[in-house]
Amino acid sequence: MLELLAWLLLLLPLFSAAVIQLWLKEIPGPAVRMSIFSVVTTFLLTLILLAGKDTSTAIKWASAGSFHIEIGLLIDDLSKGMMLVVTGVGMLVHLFSLGYMKDDGAKARYFGGLSIFMFSMTGIVLASNFVMMFIFWELVGFSSYLLIGHWFQKDSAAEAAKKAFLVNRIGDFGFMIGILMLWGLFGTFAFAEMADGARALSENSNTVTGIAVLLVFCGAVGKSAQFPLHVWLPDAMEGPTPVSALIHAATMVAAGVYMLFRLQVSAGALLFEGFAGTTIMWIGGITSLLAALMATQQDDIKRVLAYSTLSQLGYMVMAVGLAGDHGGEAGMFHLYTHAWFKALLFLGAGAVIYACHHEQDIWKMGGLLGRMKKTAITFAIGTGALMAICPLSGFWSKEQILEAAHHENPALFWLAIVVAALTPFYMTRLFIVAFLGQARAHGAKEAREVPGIMLYPLFALAAMSIIAGFPSIAGKLSPAFHHPEHAFNPTNPIFLISLAALATGLAAGVLLYRGRDSDPLAGNPVFRIFRNKFHLDELYLVLVRFCQDTVAAVIHFFDEFLIGELIVGGLARSATGLGNVFRRLQSGNLQGYAILFGAGIILVIYLTVFAR
């Protein structure tokens, strides 16, 4: 029975997407209801599976001799917990979209895109082997391309969709090679069969294994937007705000972290020791710091949250790289808590944008606390959870990451503390500028509370942002998200340092931005670098022009002139010229033929008699 429910959980969103695409494209009402029915049903199925036993099921997809590739579903604590996040946040995003997208002329296409995304993400989470995961990994890239570019009439949205798709392909190329290397090392693609191979490899050199892990990590660098492939995620904010909440806060960008932890659970933490684990944790730490610095000077409300997402994803990746002391578990725990409060913040931002007539500049807002009290309170709860204020959900998971970092790598711990101070700084800045003070523009002055269909998802996410991190609740939802080894201790020096970082960032934000109508740091040359995102996008543009365009010009020269003109064209012209010579010999003139015949006889006589 559980196996049947698992297949239904996977295939129902695909059925919804197919029905919408084939029959309901031009009929938005039934298309919306079909997508809503699908996601609500999958959420209920997830709750049933959550209470059931672990199981697995598979069907053969391709065979060659003794080699088999399966489409298999793995239902365990990890996948059940992740499915709760995917379907729970997905359902609330669907409901919020009913209000946010009510006037959109392409609602059917939008909800069809949501359904294909839910199918793709479910396939990643439930995949029992790397081949199936990679297939759905690419489907997630396709569905995110559709959703980011939903308003493709805008050049910025179309460009953002292409940028996300292309940047992710770079990471996925390394991911594919890494999967093949792991198959060569373990002899299997299946997660359940990797443990034995990993134990055998532990006695040999870790160099090849480390390279394979880092290549697999390339997939996470792309999908979870880690440095240096992080540049696509902020631009992806061009899509509808509910898409930002679903894809770029809670589910798609978390797929890389989930994949790494799935590998760590299957093959063992030893796989992440050595240079592979060190590289992973430092890339995560650097991403977290760079993104937090960039967030301090963004004025677009969605981009502030986008860089915050980058920073928190860096926290998660850093934790997974800390293979010892349960770092991976702490990273997955933070993925789970982050999903609820970041989805709340993005949907809250969507409510604000909707009420302010689609204004996204926080300096053109202000005074929204008095006009949108319910939205402002839920946004404040999400902000507090992101700042890791005790006892909100983000506090519990962040403390566990700091604990793991302190035990494994003190330098990384202090980097994480700096990020823990920057996070309350930029979120305090956002909340004060957008919600407090006086309205600074027409949209803010006209803002009113959003309809109930948009408020109720905010209430549900606010509740989860408050309670989801408590060890007793997290443990009941999924044992994969509960770690009693790191019980909270208020006298722990790590907690006191973290509390000091929180207070520092909060106080700096209040002192600098209370009562301000413009950013006091905007003219500072250092903060201007943060505002310009360290000029990394411009650097990549130069690299593309210098490297790609130069290589393309050289290849064009070889193709056009050497191959096309000299080799292929030269041979063609030679054949044509020779043909012209012989064509002239076939003139039809009998006198000419007689002369040629006589000349041929003389030549033959000469060669036979005198050439000897």
Side-chain angles (χ1 to χ4, degrees):
M1 183 63 181
L2 290 177
E3 294 175 3
L4 179 62
L5 292 180
W7 285 110
L8 186 60
L9 180 65
L10 175 67
L11 296 176
L12 188 57
L14 176 62
F15 176 75
S16 170
V19 169
I20 292 172
Q21 178 63 26
L22 295 175
W23 293 292
L24 302 178
K25 283 193 299 189
E26 306 299 329
I27 318 174
V32 171
R33 288 191 288 273
M34 183 71 197
S35 185
I36 295 289
F37 168 78
S38 168
V39 73
V40 171
T41 304
T42 54
F43 176 70
L44 296 175
L45 290 174
T46 298
L47 295 180
I48 295 172
L49 290 173
L50 202 62
K53 297 179 180 179
D54 294 354
T55 185
S56 63
T57 179
I59 57 173
K60 284 185 180 179
W61 178 49
S63 298
S66 60
F67 176 72
H68 304 287
I69 298 177
E70 296 180 333
I71 298 296
L73 308 182
L74 180 59
I75 310 296
D76 59 4
D77 289 338
L78 181 58
S79 59
K80 287 187 286 188
M82 189 67 181
M83 278 308 304
L84 178 67
V85 170
V86 172
T87 58
V89 173
M91 179 180 67
L92 295 173
V93 166
H94 276 68
L95 296 176
F96 185 89
S97 297
L98 289 174
Y100 193 87
M101 303 292 288
K102 69 175 183 177
D103 298 323
D104 192 275
K107 276 194 298 186
R109 175 163 55 83
Y110 172 80
F111 278 91
L114 290 183
S115 290
I116 193 67
F117 173 81
M118 293 298 293
F119 167 66
S120 307
M121 195 65 209
T122 301
I124 288 178
V125 174
L126 299 183
S128 65
N129 60 77
F130 261 126
V131 172
M132 178 179 170
M133 178 177 279
F134 186 77
I135 293 170
F136 284 94
W137 194 273
E138 296 305 303
L139 279 174
V140 163
F142 165 71
S143 55
S144 68
Y145 170 80
L146 295 179
L147 291 169
I148 295 169
H150 176 71
W151 292 322
F152 60 87
Q153 300 89 345
K154 292 167 50 181
D155 289 341
S156 57
E159 292 295 329
K162 287 188 288 185
K163 185 175 183 178
F165 189 83
L166 292 173
V167 171
N168 272 275
R169 298 293 74 73
I170 296 171
D172 293 351
F173 181 71
F175 185 30
M176 178 177 64
I177 298 173
I179 290 173
L180 294 174
M181 285 189 68
L182 288 180
W183 173 66
L185 291 168
F186 296 144
T188 181
F189 291 114
F191 298 125
E193 299 171 5
M194 285 187 173
D196 294 334
R199 280 192 290 270
L201 284 171
S202 64
E203 301 174 0
N204 302 322
S205 172
N206 290 328
T207 303
V208 177
T209 307
I211 293 172
V213 170
L214 287 180
L215 285 168
V216 168
F217 175 58
C218 286
V221 171
K223 200 71 74 188
S224 292
Q226 297 296 289
F227 177 83
L229 299 183
H230 65 284
V231 291
W232 68 268
L233 191 140
D235 289 356
M237 298 301 109
E238 292 293 336
T241 304
V243 169
S244 302
L246 178 65
I247 296 181
H248 309 116
T251 54
M252 172 185 161
V253 292
V257 179
Y258 174 81
M259 178 269 292
L260 288 174
F261 189 60
R262 170 62 76 186
L263 176 61
Q264 195 173 97
V265 168
S266 302
L270 284 174
L271 209 63
F272 286 74
E273 291 187 351
F275 69 92
T278 302
T279 303
I280 290 171
M281 68 184 183
W282 275 107
I283 287 179
I286 290 169
T287 303
S288 183
L289 178 60
L290 290 179
L293 291 171
M294 295 176 196
T296 61
Q297 284 297 290
Q298 300 304 308
D299 296 335
D300 185 318
I301 188 171
K302 287 175 67 175
R303 284 185 179 265
V304 174
L305 298 178
Y307 282 107
S308 171
T309 300
L310 281 174
S311 184
Q312 299 303 305
L313 287 168
Y315 252 37
M316 300 173 207
V317 170
M318 178 184 70
V320 173
L322 295 165
D325 204 55
H326 303 279
E329 290 92 334
M332 275 303 298
F333 189 23
H334 196 55
L335 182 157
Y336 156 76
T337 59
H338 175 266
W340 305 111
F341 62 72
K342 189 52 68 66
L344 169 61
L345 289 170
F346 265 109
L347 292 185
V352 168
I353 293 167
Y354 181 89
C356 293
H357 307 297
H358 295 278
E359 178 59 66
Q360 296 184 200
D361 189 337
I362 59 175
W363 293 104
K364 294 181 181 179
M365 297 177 186
L368 296 180
L369 178 61
R371 295 176 175 81
M372 305 175 66
K373 189 164 292 184
K374 294 175 183 177
T375 298
I377 291 172
T378 58
F379 197 92
I381 292 171
T383 300
L386 176 56
M387 291 179 180
I389 295 176
C390 183
L392 300 179
S393 60
F395 163 78
W396 303 96
S397 54
K398 188 205 75 171
E399 289 301 311
Q400 290 192 4
I401 290 177
L402 293 178
E403 185 85 23
H406 183 264
H407 287 170
E408 291 295 318
N409 193 307
L412 211 55
F413 166 76
W414 287 108
L415 183 149
I417 288 294
V418 172
V419 175
L422 290 170
T423 303
F425 173 73
Y426 63 71
M427 288 307 297
T428 301
R429 170 184 181 266
L430 188 157
F431 192 85
I432 289 176
V433 173
F435 289 94
L436 304 183
Q438 300 297 318
R440 303 182 194 87
H442 175 73
K445 292 176 182 177
E446 296 293 319
R448 296 293 181 270
E449 193 61 85
V450 293
I453 194 64
M454 297 170 71
L455 272 177
Y456 299 141
L458 298 183
F459 294 157
L461 289 168
M464 289 301 292
S465 298
I466 294 171
I467 66 172
F470 286 100
S472 56
I473 295 175
K476 288 180 181 178
L477 292 175
S478 174
F481 301 141
H482 176 47
H483 320 291
E485 305 94 302
H486 297 311
F488 170 61
N489 180 2
T491 62
N492 190 334
I494 297 173
F495 166 69
L496 298 177
I497 295 171
S498 173
L499 184 62
L502 169 65
T504 301
L506 190 60
V510 172
L511 291 173
L512 279 170
Y513 291 99
R514 185 177 57 182
R516 297 280 188 172
D517 291 327
S518 61
D519 197 322
L521 301 176
N524 186 292
V526 175
F527 284 87
R528 195 180 301 125
I529 294 174
F530 301 160
R531 180 178 293 273
N532 292 322
K533 302 163 287 187
F534 293 92
H535 299 283
L536 288 172
D537 286 272
E538 292 82 357
L539 174 62
Y540 285 167
L541 187 60
V542 171
L543 287 174
V544 167
R545 286 176 176 169
F546 179 75
C547 298
Q548 178 181 291
D549 293 357
T550 302
V551 171
V554 172
I555 292 174
H556 175 74
F557 172 78
F558 273 94
D559 180 59
E560 186 74 17
F561 295 101
L562 294 183
I563 297 176
E565 292 293 327
L566 185 61
I567 300 175
V568 177
L571 291 173
R573 284 189 294 273
S574 300
T576 302
L578 190 61
N580 288 334
V581 171
F582 283 104
R583 186 170 64 248
R584 291 183 179 277
L585 297 178
Q586 301 296 323
S587 62
N589 188 316
L590 291 177
Q591 275 186 318
Y593 290 163
I595 292 171
L596 288 174
F597 182 72
I601 291 174
I602 293 171
L603 181 64
V604 169
I605 293 171
Y606 173 79
L607 291 175
T608 11
V609 177
F610 297 102
R612 293 181 180 180

